[in-house]
Amino acid sequence: MVLSKMEDFIENLPPMDLMRSEKMTFVQLIIPVESAHRVISYLGELGLLQFRDLNSDKSPFQRTFVNQVKRCAEMSRKLRFFKEQISKAGLFSSTRPVTPADIGLEQLEVQLAEHEHELMEINSNSDKLQQSYNELLEFKMVLQKASGFLVSNKTHTVPEERELDENIYSNDSYVETASLLEQEVRPGRSGQSGLRFICGIVCKSKGLSFERMLFRATRGNMLFNQAPADEDIMDPLSNDMVEKMVFVVFFSGEQARTKILKICDAFGASCYPVPEDITKQTQITREVSSRLVELEATLEAGIRHRNKALSSLSVHITKWMKMVRREKAVYDTLNMLNFDVTKKCLVGEGWCPIFAQDKISEELQRATFDSKSQVGTIFHVMDAIESPPTYFRTNKFTNAFQEIVDAYGVAKYQEANPAVYTVITFPFLFAVMFGDWGHGICLLLGALVLIARESTLSTQKLGSFMEMLFGGRYVLLLMSLFSIYCGLIYNEFFSVPFHIFGGSAYHCRDTSCSDATTAGLVKFREPYPFGVDPSWRGSRTELPFLNSLKMKMSILLGVSQMNLGIIISYFNARFFSSSIDIRYQFVPQLIFLNSLFGYLSLLIIIKWCTGSQADLYHVMIYMFLSPTDDLGENQLFWGQRPLQIILLLLALIAVPWMLFPKPFILRKLHTERFQGRMYGVLGTSEMDLDVEPDSARQHHEEFNFSEVFVHQMIHSIEFVLGAVSNTASYLRLWALSLAHSELSTVFYEKVLLLAWGYDNFAIRLVGLTVFAFATAFILLMMETLSAFLHALRLHWVEFQNKFYHGDGYKFKPFSFSSLTEDEE
């Protein structure tokens, strides 16, 4: 009677939007060829139909609209080229609306080809002019620097020459082994072994290795002079300004000249002819300077012309890129449809939410009317064997929480959605570990800034970290609010307690405890009305008291959340009409968990309410080792020992209850189904066995009993062991809360208060700075990330594994709004 009333109450509960995914239907579209493009475009604007690829066996080059896709890809390439050129020129693409009339794709293709040809011609001419300008500039620098080397090379004194003639060069056989400088100044031999030189310019970074290579190639028979260039020169390959140096190499012989020219070529050095005559040098320098002036004027005119062309493109490029992306997406979708040549139509299949059927029908009628087609698009519902996609309608607030759940796995179709509970439980468990209302206010200010600027930030391209932070701004908001709440319970403001809700319930026993921090405190009034009494801070029993409080609180929160997960599994089984899962999975799991850890939670609450000194560790350990022994001083209530025996027996019975019945019942149902005797019990759908949330999905022709049994055994063992490990895992709430509190205390007492103890402004300023940086980077960034990850683990593992399978796939409708700039 009670169960029937409970079922009626559950049936009459109003549906929750996020609790179950939207009901989907499989549809077929038969589209006339003349209206196909417009139909797909209108459906892309609506964004509520996911097409199925009916040509998955064909390569991209075998599809019907491959040429149109290639044309769109080519236009995308040209537009990316234009955008790159606009960015290089330092111009910005305009975002204001374009006043001229819209153009078609064919006209745009022609215009883009003309603009590309014009721009490439401008760039080609500009590159040639720039190369000529660079060469003339290098030639001018070589002329200026090399003339100094050539003049200084002829200034040897006459007495030195005569001394060499008389003392050294009198021996004719010495000519073969004479050094290069001696040959240079020896009179009368310039015709046979005259000194020659090569002038040029090379990158300064290569100067040392260049000189070393020349020295080795000529075996030291050369003279290398160098000087830095007066200004940087543009590298034609990288378009970067490069520091260069001018060099002059003096050598003798044709063989040395060949080697030096090859080395210059290998090092990318440019060689220029410099005459020895100073008059000719001056004349050439004058001619080069005049040509440089002319080239500068020509280059400036070319840049102005190119910028003008790019400016005209920048006004339209954003709109054109959006247009081409849409067209390419339309043709990519058309390639997923079957092309019926005989009937002149395209056949498409896909999934859509049931609520969207009327909207899709309206768009199809509008497309037929606008394309002036005599035949309308046929839209009808079909049966499908495969499981539908999962679609949750979210808003900017719930979307981040749904993403947290989807990161673990997308919900199976119509499976209970953990995001409904995650909206509250996730930020709350985070706050239990992060509880400090001072730090919570800092997080709140950051969240409010992101929310206040969301209209601006949503249109900007953010970095990966900032984008993640902005996407979770409402998660951050709830996390900060719950942190303030838990901080008020812990009575911690940057680890400092405050008497916010009245005076302390404790005072000194006598005048000997004037400091009131170590001993002598007695309770003299009602308990502190909200949160932890501030007198606990600094007392000798502070750590044992807070440890006990937070540890027991963690167990209570963990058992409550795990029970919630098991209860949700009941609603899943009920929704999928799986009475087997209710009887042989939900019931034994609930009994096993609460016989052990539900009982532990009850003992914690009773101990808190009665103020008993019972040792709960002793009670739980001897519940297994000696369940019949007398509890003595550890007894919390009358009838505790027989209750413990009953709960222990129930926990032992629950294990085989989970393990054995379900596989044997599934085998029996499968056998009777194919003998034709149980159709009424099994229902009319071919999918009834498949919708069992935890049953192994088998082909109807085969039933592998051993596989099903092993699967159930693994699941049962996992739950039994997980009940212990998951409960222990929730103790991370206590551990991280304690770590956060102790870190805050260390930074406050050992940094801020220590610095404030000195009567020196500089030391106080340094202490305040270190405290601010430690708070910002360690407590507000690293601790936030740590608590976030631990809360994530508690939801993914401890909570969701009780009911959530996450083996579905997302509903991805064809929508123009989901196209990004990276779409090809």
Side-chain angles (χ1 to χ4, degrees), residues 76 180 345 383 393 489 543 601 742 820:
S76 294
L180 186 63
C345 63
D383 293 330
R393 280 190 283 181
I489 292 177
L543 204 56
S601 303
E742 291 302 312
T820 63

Side-chain angles (χ1 to χ4, degrees), residues 359-370:
K359 295 179 183 178
I360 292 173
S361 299
E362 289 174 7
E363 293 297 323
L364 295 177
Q365 290 174 8
R366 187 164 71 93
T368 303
F369 177 78
D370 291 347

Side-chain angles (χ1 to χ4, degrees), residues 26 65 80 84 102 204 283 438 494 570 606 651 681 712 745:
F26 191 70
F65 298 95
R80 286 196 304 273
E84 184 184 347
D102 294 340
K204 193 173 182 180
Q283 183 182 356
F494 295 100
Y570 164 78
I606 293 174
V681 176
Q712 188 63 26
T745 304

Side-chain angles (χ1 to χ4, degrees), residues 564-595:
L564 175 62
I566 295 173
I567 291 169
I568 296 172
S569 72
Y570 164 78
F571 286 98
N572 261 344
R574 180 180 176 79
F575 182 83
F576 290 113
S577 303
S578 175
S579 58
I580 296 176
D581 284 335
I582 294 174
R583 294 193 192 105
Y584 306 109
Q585 188 165 302
F586 163 72
V587 175
Q589 285 183 358
L590 196 66
I591 290 173
F592 182 85
L593 181 66
N594 290 289
S595 295

Side-chain angles (χ1 to χ4, degrees), residues 670-671 673-674 686 689 698-704:
H670 177 84
T671 305
R673 179 184 183 124
F674 284 95
E686 290 285 326
L689 282 180
Q698 307 294 330
H699 295 289
H700 293 301
E701 295 78 8
E702 298 178 3
F703 183 82
N704 193 335

Side-chain angles (χ1 to χ4, degrees), residues 703-720:
F703 183 82
N704 193 335
F705 175 75
S706 60
E707 186 177 339
V708 174
F709 186 82
V710 168
H711 177 272
Q712 188 63 26
M713 182 173 65
I714 291 171
H715 181 80
S716 302
I717 294 171
E718 183 183 8
F719 179 82
V720 171

Side-chain angles (χ1 to χ4, degrees), residues 322-531:
K322 184 179 178 182
M323 177 183 172
V324 171
R325 269 200 306 272
R326 283 184 162 213
E327 288 296 321
K328 185 174 182 296
V330 167
Y331 285 116
D332 281 334
T333 306
L334 285 170
N335 275 333
M336 298 169 73
L337 312 184
N338 267 339
F339 188 67
D340 193 334
V341 182
T342 57
K343 297 180 181 178
K344 301 285 186 181
C345 63
L346 289 163
V347 179
E349 295 175 358
W351 294 97
C352 74
I354 289 178
F355 73 84
Q357 287 186 29
D358 294 338
K359 295 179 183 178
I360 292 173
S361 299
E362 289 174 7
E363 293 297 323
L364 295 177
Q365 290 174 8
R366 187 164 71 93
T368 303
F369 177 78
D370 291 347
S371 59
K372 299 177 182 178
S373 175
Q374 296 179 351
V375 182
T377 301
I378 300 172
F379 175 70
H380 62 94
V381 178
M382 295 176 63
D383 293 330
I385 299 175
E386 65 187 55
S387 177
T390 302
Y391 174 50
F392 294 105
R393 280 190 283 181
T394 58
N395 52 37
K396 62 184 180 181
F397 180 80
T398 57
N399 182 63
F401 295 98
Q402 188 63 56
E403 289 296 325
I404 287 174
V405 173
D406 289 347
Y408 174 81
V410 179
K412 190 171 65 176
Y413 178 64
Q414 293 275 284
E415 184 181 13
N417 184 17
V420 177
Y421 310 95
T422 302
V423 171
I424 298 300
T425 58
F426 183 85
F428 177 71
L429 291 185
F430 168 87
V432 170
M433 296 179 275
F434 193 77
D436 187 303
W437 61 280
H439 297 151
I441 289 173
C442 296
L443 291 183
L444 179 62
L445 292 175
L448 291 177
V449 169
L450 291 174
I451 292 170
R453 298 185 59 198
E454 69 178 11
S455 56
T456 307
L457 293 173
S458 58
T459 58
Q460 295 178 359
K461 191 170 184 181
L462 307 172
S464 57
F465 175 76
M466 194 63 194
E467 186 177 359
M468 179 182 65
L469 201 62
F470 176 70
R473 59 195 180 279
Y474 289 104
V475 179
L476 191 63
L477 175 68
L478 288 187
M479 281 161 43
S480 62
L481 292 175
F482 277 110
S483 295
I484 294 172
Y485 170 72
C486 288
L488 290 172
I489 292 177
Y490 299 156
N491 202 347
E492 290 186 8
F493 178 82
F494 295 100
S495 80
V496 180
F498 282 86
H499 295 77
I500 302 173
F501 302 101
S504 172
Y506 300 90
H507 72 156
C508 286
R509 181 184 297 123
D510 50 43
T511 55
S512 64
C513 66
S514 57
D515 58 350
T517 56
T518 56
L521 291 175
V522 293
K523 187 174 182 180
F524 75 100
R525 68 160 97 174
E526 291 299 314
Y528 194 68
F530 185 84

